[in-house]
Amino acid sequence: MSHCKYEQPRHGSLAFLPRKRAARHRGRCKSFPKDNAANPPHLTAFLAYKAGMTHVVRDLDRPGSKAHKKEIVEAVTVIEAPPMVVVGVVGYIETPRGLRALTSVWAEHLSDEVKRRFYKNWYRSKKKAYTKYASKYSTDNGKQITRDLERIKKYSTIVRVIAHTQMDKVRIGQKKAHIMEIQVNGGTISEKVDWAREHFEKTVSVGDIFEKDEMIDVIGVTKGNGVEGVTARWGTKKLPRKTHRGLRKVACIGAWHPSRVMYSVARSGQDGYHHRTEANRKIYRIGKGDDKSSAATEFDLTAKRITPVGGFPHYGEVNEDFVIIKGSCVGVKKRVLTLRKSLRTHTKRSALEKVNLKFIDTSSKFGHGRFQTKEEKKAFMGVLKKDLVEA
């Protein structure tokens, strides 16, 4: 039969073509929120590391819903976000062909973890990066640095700071810092540059940028799955059981003419490790690393930290500032994520809802956890044989 007997939506979206491995490991901000000069200068993005997932209990405040004023259980993701260090500023000029970088100004002192980013092999290098540049601060009382900052104030229309993560604060098996440009919004161009200059070699915490109940975007690279066939990669229908030469295939990959396979036909290949932006992730809590009761609520009897009993699987302990967002997010554990302020103006009730957590689960994520803290487990189990051996 030559005509189409059945009609149905296609399998898999063509919006994400080409489905190949991401060019960069760190999520890239391709755009930043719209600037408003009436606000004070502030950053619009932050780098953090995915630790793992848990669940929370809260009362839903959504009039009209069947679950209104009832307890609901929701999955959440914990993202560790140690303070970032500002080490430079870049001024951009808007041209008909897009943005053009006018000039960059770096801080006088850079840590080794950010210098590692400039070398392929830190061990064999002479570690001389930016030693000549740093001398600009001592010659002529930093006249050239001041001149470059004034040029940015005079000609630039967009100002972004260069900031890097502190790798000694997180235990992900890496010493080389992740570095990115973060746009400064709010205030005049002169105020932006002054703000950036004042923050050279200083830290900025995640609580300075985001706040509770805010909607943010999470940008990162998804979990890689290697080469997959069409059934897993595109979700095509499996062929009947008795099909010759396999059934996880596409039966017809196109007409005789045109005598080529069209781009829209599902084919096997790379699955996962794709660059993705997830919009509208609600922040449920921003916790401090030094807070002994960072996972406690007003309903909890005992103080407890966000790290579950035994630590997050494949990650470990969360000892720095962290963000709890609703639902899942891209990437595996330890993956660097870019958290960005939302590009949209939110009006939905679910986006504007004030969240009050009643319980955050910190039981073991390795098996069926029963206890919220190590002390609670010890009180229930009593003295064990291993305790006597250690004693």
Side-chain angles (χ1 to χ4, degrees):
M1 297 174 70
S2 60
H3 65 278
C4 182
K5 192 171 182 181
Y6 302 106
E7 291 183 15
Q8 68 279 324
R10 64 162 286 112
H11 290 279
S13 172
L14 297 178
F16 299 108
L17 290 180
R19 292 200 179 203
K20 62 180 185 180
R21 285 189 293 273
R24 61 189 69 81
H25 185 71
R26 173 181 59 80
R28 177 177 168 231
C29 280
K30 298 181 181 179
S31 57
F32 287 94
K34 194 174 181 181
D35 196 4
N36 184 1
N39 298 328
H42 61 276
L43 297 183
T44 52
F46 202 84
L47 288 179
Y49 299 91
K50 182 173 177 178
M53 294 188 70
T54 183
H55 68 264
V56 299
V57 177
R58 70 182 183 96
D59 284 331
L60 186 68
D61 181 22
R62 200 170 297 167
S65 170
K66 287 183 178 180
H68 178 53
K69 289 190 176 179
K70 292 182 180 177
E71 283 189 353
I72 59 169
V73 179
E74 290 180 325
V76 293
T77 303
V78 180
I79 304 171
E80 191 169 15
M84 293 182 72
V85 182
V86 177
V87 290
V89 60
V90 189
Y92 285 91
I93 299 173
E94 288 175 326
T95 70
R97 291 174 295 173
L99 295 179
R100 179 175 73 84
L102 175 69
T103 188
S104 302
V105 176
W106 290 79
E108 186 176 3
H109 304 101
L110 300 181
S111 63
D112 281 352
E113 54 192 1
V114 71
K115 285 182 182 176
R116 281 175 182 269
R117 180 57 62 183
F118 309 135
Y119 288 100
K120 194 74 176 173
N121 190 331
W122 174 255
Y123 172 73
R124 292 182 182 275
S125 68
K126 294 180 179 178
K127 304 173 180 57
K128 300 282 284 182
Y130 280 84
T131 48
K132 275 189 180 178
Y133 188 91
S135 63
K136 291 182 181 180
Y137 279 88
S138 55
T139 55
D140 296 338
N141 294 324
K143 190 175 179 181
Q144 191 172 346
I145 298 294
T146 307
R147 186 177 66 86
D148 286 343
L149 290 172
E150 291 301 323
R151 279 186 67 210
I152 295 175
K153 288 181 182 180
K154 187 174 181 182
Y155 299 110
S156 294
T157 53
I158 289 175
V159 176
R160 294 176 182 171
V161 298
I162 303 169
H164 72 84
T165 57
Q166 300 185 78
M167 302 310 295
D168 58 339
K169 304 271 188 187
V170 286
R171 302 298 180 194
I172 65 167
Q174 182 175 324
K175 297 177 184 176
K176 188 184 291 188
H178 291 103
I179 186 168
M180 76 171 292
E181 287 184 8
I182 305 173
Q183 188 159 307
V184 182
N185 279 2
T188 62
I189 296 297
S190 180
E191 289 172 345
K192 293 182 207 287
V193 176
D194 290 338
W195 186 93
R197 179 68 183 88
E198 289 166 10
H199 284 77
F200 274 9
E201 301 176 35
K202 293 180 182 176
T203 59
V204 179
S205 67
V206 68
D208 300 334
I209 301 173
F210 304 113
E211 56 188 23
K212 185 178 171 292
D213 299 324
E214 185 178 349
M215 301 292 275
I216 63 171
D217 299 339
V218 179
I219 307 167
V221 175
T222 62
K223 179 181 180 179
N225 298 309
V227 175
E228 289 282 9
V230 287
T231 306
R233 193 178 186 218
W234 292 97
T236 57
K237 195 173 183 67
K238 286 168 66 176
L239 300 178
R241 180 185 62 82
K242 296 180 73 172
T243 306
H244 186 46
R245 291 182 182 154
L247 46 83
R248 295 173 66 90
K249 296 174 180 289
V250 173
C252 177
I253 59 172
W256 192 305
H257 289 291
S259 54
R260 65 192 71 92
V261 179
M262 292 184 67
Y263 80 97
S264 57
V265 176
R267 307 290 274 163
S268 63
Q270 173 66 30
D271 185 37
Y273 202 75
H274 307 308
H275 187 276
R276 294 289 180 265
T277 301
E278 290 184 344
N280 305 337
R281 288 287 181 266
K282 195 177 185 73
I283 294 178
Y284 277 5
R285 175 170 291 194
I286 297 176
K288 291 287 184 183
D290 54 1
D291 186 5
K292 294 282 181 69
S293 56
S294 57
T297 64
E298 57 187 17
F299 299 93
D300 276 313
L301 299 175
T302 57
K304 57 180 183 176
R305 300 180 78 108
I306 191 64
T307 305
V309 176
F312 283 103
H314 307 286
Y315 188 86
E317 295 182 356
V318 173
N319 295 318
E320 297 297 321
D321 297 354
F322 64 89
V323 178
I324 296 179
I325 63 169
K326 180 186 175 181
S328 61
C329 71
V330 297
V332 294
K333 283 83 172 175
K334 301 184 182 179
R335 177 87 21 111
V336 61
L337 302 173
T338 305
L339 311 180
R340 181 188 65 189
K341 281 186 171 292
S342 182
L343 304 182
R344 306 169 188 174
T345 303
H346 294 280
T347 54
K348 282 189 175 181
R349 280 190 305 180
S350 58
L352 303 176
E353 181 185 355
K354 298 296 180 185
V355 173
N356 183 28
L357 300 181
K358 297 180 76 173
F359 171 73
I360 301 173
D361 183 54
T362 57
S363 63
S364 175
K365 304 300 164 197
F366 207 85
H368 300 284
R370 292 171 58 192
F371 308 103
Q372 294 296 310
T373 60
K374 289 179 181 178
E375 292 75 23
E376 184 183 324
K377 181 180 180 180
K378 196 169 185 180
F380 181 84
M381 302 291 282
V383 178
L384 301 175
K385 189 176 180 181
K386 64 178 182 179
D387 298 330
L388 298 174
V389 172
E390 289 172 3

